[in-house]
Structure formats: structure tokens, C-alpha cells
């Protein structure tokens, strides 16, 4: 599928963007992306309205000379002075709890916010990366999911506000590439976990860790035999930045292909926290995907990227971060 695209190098291997704009940079993934860009020597401007992110995520970056953060809603007017060579568009409520609470805002940031971020890249002659999602595959009928699978999404189901916003964002990014010659790429991110997730954001790993640390039952949806493939945040950030710098147009899956049942995730969390919690089965949400696993051969082939952090290792460091969060709160 990708042979038809000419792969253009964005920068020499090892050279980082001089100045990057990260929309949604105060969120879970965005803050790690900002940090990695700064570590590589970039100047970073974060644009975020803190609707699901928080300045607390940016606290470790606040004193770094090359970092700036502006509180703004990217669906409204904003202006970025000076040159920019990379726009990473990550702004969007990403957990079901958030996007079900903010359906219109989610559609707006996927549509209007994406257009504004693309306009910024166009104005500056910058490369543009859209943070898309494995949710564009919906409840997939092809397993594992390669990039040329078109998906199985219910456009009027409750999750549609997120899934279709991202599908529209992918279409808009492609149209800007084809109509205006913008250097764009699309990353389809699969479930990612790690430090800075919010304990109440509703996603499986932080929910289970919070419940286990509190000694509460872990709420597993349905029989728990549905699968997820979870990627540690450091691996994800490496993949995203490698794609951003590669010149490849995407879409490209980035995620960990190790597949776990939700029940297994819950049991592993109980073991890793040493908790005495039990498991309580609760009702499955509408349109909850039955299986989820990325085919990552394209990322391996083009970027030489593979995840390197095991589930056991990643879970340990996430549990340790959540335990300290509890202590800081106590
Ligand atoms: P998050 O909710 O922690 O971060 C999203 C950030 O976007 C927040 O800081 C929020 O305040 C900001 N934002 C939302 N609407 C905005 C607006 N109108 N203007 C400015 N800022 C706005 O979510 P995350 O997990 O860090 O996800 C980041 C991106 O990656 C999202 O685009 C998401 O769809 C994508 N993604 C994440 C995962 C995952 O497993 N974490 C999986 C697939 C895709």
C-alpha cells in the first residue's frame, strides 16, 4: 500500500526539529512528547486548553529554557509567531470517560482543531503529524489490524464522536497533503499506558491500578476475554518521533503487538501491586472492541521501530508512579 508514496526524509537521521509546536502538550502523551523533544534539543511550544490535560504534567518542563506553554483552545483563533518546522497535533480528549462527557468538543477538536493545526503547518512550511488512533478500526473484523484495513465503525454509536472525529481528521490531513502539498503524516496510536495517566480517566490500566491500590474490586467489563495490546509510553514516544522525523506519510500503526485479555491485565495489576483486591465483572460498554492488536510490520520496516519495554517492566514503573501519586496526595 505504501509503495505508491515517495518517502521523503524530513531531516537527517539524528537531527531534531529546531522548533516544534505540540497541541495537547499538557496531556498524558503530549507531555512525554514535549519532554523527549526538549531532550533532543528542540525548542517546544505547547498549546493546550487543559480540558483533560493539566499544568502539573508540564511542571517538570517549566524551567527548561527552550519550553513555552500557552493556554488556548485550538478550535478558536490562535497565532504562533516565529518559525516552526514540526507541528504535532495531539489535542483531543482520548479516554471514553472524557469524550462521552464532551461529545461536541471532541468532534470540534477533531475537525476544526485539526484544520487550524494543519493551517499552522501550512503557514510555516512545517511537517505535520496527526495523532490518530486504533479506534479508526472500530470493532475490527480483521485481526491484527494492518494500516490498509478500513475499519468497522458504528457512525451513530456513542464512541462515534471520537472514532469519526479521528477518521475525519485523517481525511482532512490527506486532503491538505494532496491539495496544498503539506508534508503530513498520520500515526495510529494503540492503547498506551504509563506515568501521568489520570487515575480516574476510565482507561483499563489506570483504573485497575487505582482500584488495586485502594483495595477495591477491579471492574472488568464483561467476561474480560476481549483483548487489548498495551504499549509503554516511552516506546510510543520513540515511535511517534521516529515517524515525525522520517518523512513517511503514514498512516502508520504504533503500538505493542503483545495481546492480553482484559482479565489478564487485571490479574497482572493485582500481582504487581500486591493487592488483595478481587475482580468484579461489570457490563460491557456499547461497541467495546472485542479484539485489538496492531500489525506493526510497517513501523519495523520503515523506521526500524519495535517496542522494547515488556508489559511486566512497564507495569512496574507505572504502579510505582501511581503509588507515589497516592503518597503525594496523602
Ligand atoms: P489526554 O486527554 O491526556 O491529552 C489530550 C490533551 O489535549 C489534553 O491536554 C487536553 O487538555 C488537550 N486538548 C483537548 N482539546 C483541546 C483543545 N480544543 N484545544 C487545546 N487543547 C486541547 O490524552 P492522551 O492519552 O495524551 O492522547 C493524546 C493524543 O493521542 C490524542 O489525540 C489521542 O486521541 C491520541 N491517542 C492516545 C491513545 C492512548 O492510549 N493514550 C491511543 C490512541 C490515540
Amino acid at each position: 500500500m505504501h509503495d505508491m508514496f515517495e518517502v521523503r526524509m524530513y531531516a537527517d537521521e539524528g537531527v531534531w526539529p529546531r522548533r516544534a509546536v505540540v497541541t495537547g502538550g499538557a496531556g498524558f502523551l503530549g507531555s512525554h512528547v514535549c519532554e523527549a523533544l526538549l531532550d533532543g534539543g528542540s525548542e517546544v511550544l505547547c498549546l493546550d486548553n487543559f480540558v483533560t490535560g493539566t499544568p502539573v504534567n508540564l511542571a517538570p518542563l517549566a524551567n527548561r529554557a527552550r519550553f513555552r506553554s500557552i493556554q488556548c483552545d485550538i478550535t478558536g483563533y490562535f497565532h504562533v509567531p516565529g518559525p516552526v518546522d514540526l507541528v504535532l497535533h495531539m489535542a483531543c480528549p482520548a479516554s471514553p470517560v472524557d469524550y462521552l462527557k464532551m461529545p461536541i468538543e471532541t468532534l470540534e477538536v477533531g475537525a476544526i482543531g485539526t484544520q487550524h493545526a494543519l493551517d499552522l503547518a501550512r503557514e510555516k512550511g512545517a511537517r505535520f503529524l496527526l495523532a490518530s488512533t486504533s479506534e479508526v478500526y472500530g470493532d475490527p473484523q480483521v485481526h491484527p489490524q494492518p494500516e490498509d484495513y478500513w475499519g468497522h465503525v458504528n457512525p451513530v454509536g456513542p464512541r462515534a464522536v471520537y472514532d469519526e472525529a479521528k477518521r475525519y481528521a485523517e481525511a482532512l490531513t490527506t486532503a491538505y497533503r494532496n491539495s496544498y502539498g503539506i508534508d503530513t503524516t498520520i500515526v495510529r496510536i494503540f492503547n498506551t499506558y504509563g506515568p501521568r495517566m489520570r487515575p480516574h480517566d476510565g482507561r483499563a490500566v489506570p483504573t485497575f491500578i487505582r482500584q488495586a491500590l485502594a483495595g477495591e474490586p477491579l471492574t472488568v467489563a464483561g467476561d474480560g476475554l476481549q483483548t487489548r495490546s498495551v504499549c509503554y509510553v516511552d516506546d510510543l514516544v520513540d515511535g511517534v518521533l521516529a515517524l515525525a522525523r522520517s518523512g513517511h506519510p503514514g498512516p502508520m500503526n504504533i503500538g505493542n503487538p503483545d495481546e492480553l485479555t482484559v482479565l489478564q491485565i487485571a490479574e497482572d495489576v493485582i500481582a504487581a501491586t500486591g493487592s488483595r483486591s478481587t475482580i468484579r465483572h461489570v457490563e460491557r460498554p456499547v461497541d467495546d472492541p472485542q479484539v485489538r492488536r496492531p500489525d506493526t510490520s510497517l513501523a519495523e520496516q520503515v523506521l526500524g521501530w519495535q517496542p522494547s519495554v515488556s508489559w511486566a517492566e512497564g507495569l512496574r514503573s507505572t504502579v510505582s508512579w501511581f503509588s507515589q501519586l497516592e503518597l503525594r496526595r496523602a
Side-chain angles (χ1 to χ4, degrees), residues 124-174:
K124 304 291 182 183
R127 177 148 161 91
F128 175 89
L129 176 139
L130 170 69
S132 185
T133 170
S134 57
E135 301 297 329
V136 299
Y137 301 125
D139 189 6
Q141 294 170 315
V142 170
H143 191 63
Q145 295 81 56
E147 288 85 352
D148 56 5
Y149 174 51
W150 293 352
H152 183 228
V153 173
N154 174 2
V156 292
R159 301 171 74 100
V161 296
Y162 181 67
D163 305 359
E164 298 291 19
K166 290 291 183 180
R167 288 167 70 95
Y168 174 85
E170 289 201 9
L172 189 65
T173 300
T174 307

Side-chain angles (χ1 to χ4, degrees), residues 14 36 60 63 75 91 149 180 184 266 320:
N63 293 326
T75 65
Y149 174 51
Y180 300 138
T184 61
S320 138

Side-chain angles (χ1 to χ4, degrees), residues 23-31 47-54 57 70-76 89-95 98 102 105-106 108-109 113 130-135 162 166 187-193 196-198 201 203 231 236:
T23 74
F28 160 50
L29 295 183
S31 62
L47 304 178
D48 202 301
N49 63 355
F50 304 130
V51 69
T52 56
T54 160
N57 286 340
I70 296 177
Q71 180 171 4
C72 74
D73 181 339
I74 60 155
T75 65
H89 175 42
M90 316 213 54
C92 183
S95 98
D98 292 329
M102 296 182 282
E105 291 85 343
T106 302
E108 281 177 349
V109 74
L130 170 69
S132 185
T133 170
S134 57
E135 301 297 329
Y162 181 67
K166 290 291 183 180
V187 57
R188 290 189 181 146
I189 300 172
F190 281 65
N191 292 358
T192 302
Y193 70 99
R196 298 192 194 143
M197 292 190 96
R198 286 168 298 141
D201 90 353
R203 291 182 267 197
C231 185
L236 190 280

Side-chain angles (χ1 to χ4, degrees), residues 8 41 61 78 81 112 116 123 152 158 164 195 233 300 306:
R8 187 153 38 103
L61 315 181
F78 65 90
I112 305 164
H116 288 172
E123 176 201 332
H152 183 228
E164 298 291 19
V233 63
E300 278 172 46
Q306 271 185 320

